[in-house]
Amino acid sequence: SQQGEEDPQALSIQEGENATMNCSYKTSINNLQWYRQNSGRGLVHLILIRSNEREKHSGRLRVTLDTSKKSSSLLITASRAADTASYFCATDGRSGNTPLVFGKGTRLSVIA
Amino acid sequence: EADIYQTPRYLVIGTGKKITLECSQTMGHDKMYWYQQDPGMELHLIHYSYGVNSTEKGDLSSESTVSRIRTEHFPLTLESARPSHTSQYLCATQKGGYNEQFFGPGTRLTVL
């Protein structure tokens, strides 16, 4: 299985602080995605980083990818209470035609 | 907001009942997926489909079946519900050749 593993499982920070979540995976990939899930809802796509990219930005989000270590990190800067959610990484397979494999998620709580 | 609809949103039933969870989409996406997820926990792939009349089993496919007679419709049937089926069921779609998955709002199932 190439299931991703997020670290930490849970994270609690104060509003305005940065939040960093990590994801490790096991096999080669074409790209890695990060999703967000508010409590009781479906997942929402945040950002995708390709295997030939090392860093990508989108608003307050910064994603890095280290294919040699098979790991990725998601940084949320200047966090807000509305960022409280679970965050999942998802990897594809090298063949490109296999379903995404989601990690176990990091539950982020941002305290106002 | 992705146009993916799941019905019912909440369902409470007794053990042994046969149930069908509905998922429909208006985006014309080829690929559709069913996931089972306990609140805030990892996603488990149950079934997926890459097009009409094409269905595949995921990691957690036992005791359930799916059909894909039309592009926009991907129902999931539990032949005999058990308390262990109590969970949230998420439907997702993906356009062929693209990486992002779009998720429905989910069905929260409770089996007594």
Side-chain angles (χ1 to χ4, degrees), chain A residues 3 31 33 35 37 40 42-43 45 48 50 88 97-100 102-104 107, chain B residues 31 33 35 37 40-43 45 48 50 88 90 99-101 103-105 108:
Chain A
Q3 187 169 30
N31 60 70
Q33 303 176 51
Y35 287 78
Q37 183 183 34
L43 280 70
H45 181 264
L48 177 149
R50 301 193 184 282
F88 294 86
N97 203 35
T98 54
L100 293 181
F102 287 85
K104 296 181 179 180
R107 280 151 287 288
Chain B
K31 300 181 179 182
Y33 305 84
Y35 296 92
Q37 183 192 32
M41 304 301 285
E42 62 190 297
L43 281 75
L45 181 64
Y48 61 101
Y50 284 175
Q88 177 166 249
L90 294 171
N99 300 292
E100 179 181 351
Q101 286 191 10
F103 283 79
R108 181 68 60 90

Side-chain angles (χ1 to χ4, degrees), chain A residues 41-83:
Chain A
R41 307 294 298 274
L43 280 70
V44 176
H45 181 264
L46 292 175
I47 193 168
L48 177 149
I49 186 166
R50 301 193 184 282
S51 60
N52 61 353
E53 297 176 310
R54 290 298 166 258
E55 187 171 312
K56 199 163 185 179
H57 296 255
S58 177
R60 292 185 296 112
L61 305 180
R62 173 179 169 252
V63 171
T64 62
L65 179 64
D66 187 336
T67 53
S68 67
K69 295 181 180 178
K70 292 186 170 59
S71 68
S72 173
S73 68
L74 170 67
L75 168 68
I76 303 174
T77 60
S79 62
R80 306 166 181 167
D83 294 328

Side-chain angles (χ1 to χ4, degrees), chain B:
Chain B
E1 192 78 18
D3 295 332
I4 304 172
Y5 306 97
Q6 289 189 243
T7 57
R9 291 294 313 279
Y10 302 92
L11 180 62
V12 180
I13 61 168
T15 297
K17 298 291 185 183
K18 178 179 178 178
I19 61 168
T20 295
L21 307 184
E22 303 287 349
C23 177
S24 60
Q25 51 117 347
T26 59
M27 297 177 290
H29 288 178
D30 304 325
K31 300 181 179 182
M32 297 187 74
Y33 305 84
W34 275 106
Y35 296 92
Q36 181 181 343
Q37 183 192 32
D38 291 332
M41 304 301 285
E42 62 190 297
L43 281 75
H44 296 281
L45 181 64
I46 311 172
H47 293 278
Y48 61 101
S49 167
Y50 284 175
V52 171
N53 294 325
S54 163
T55 62
E56 301 288 343
K57 295 182 178 181
D59 302 326
L60 205 67
S61 59
S62 64
E63 305 161 357
S64 65
T65 58
V66 290
S67 63
R68 189 87 183 278
I69 299 172
R70 303 196 317 264
T71 297
E72 61 271 21
H73 198 214
F74 191 41
L76 172 73
T77 297
L78 296 178
E79 296 295 332
S80 180
R82 297 209 304 260
S84 60
H85 292 138
T86 295
S87 190
Q88 177 166 249
Y89 291 82
L90 294 171
C91 177
T93 73
Q94 182 180 358
K95 186 175 181 179
Y98 292 78
N99 300 292
E100 179 181 351
Q101 286 191 10
F102 297 87
F103 283 79
T107 293
R108 181 68 60 90
L109 174 66
T110 301
V111 183
L112 302 176

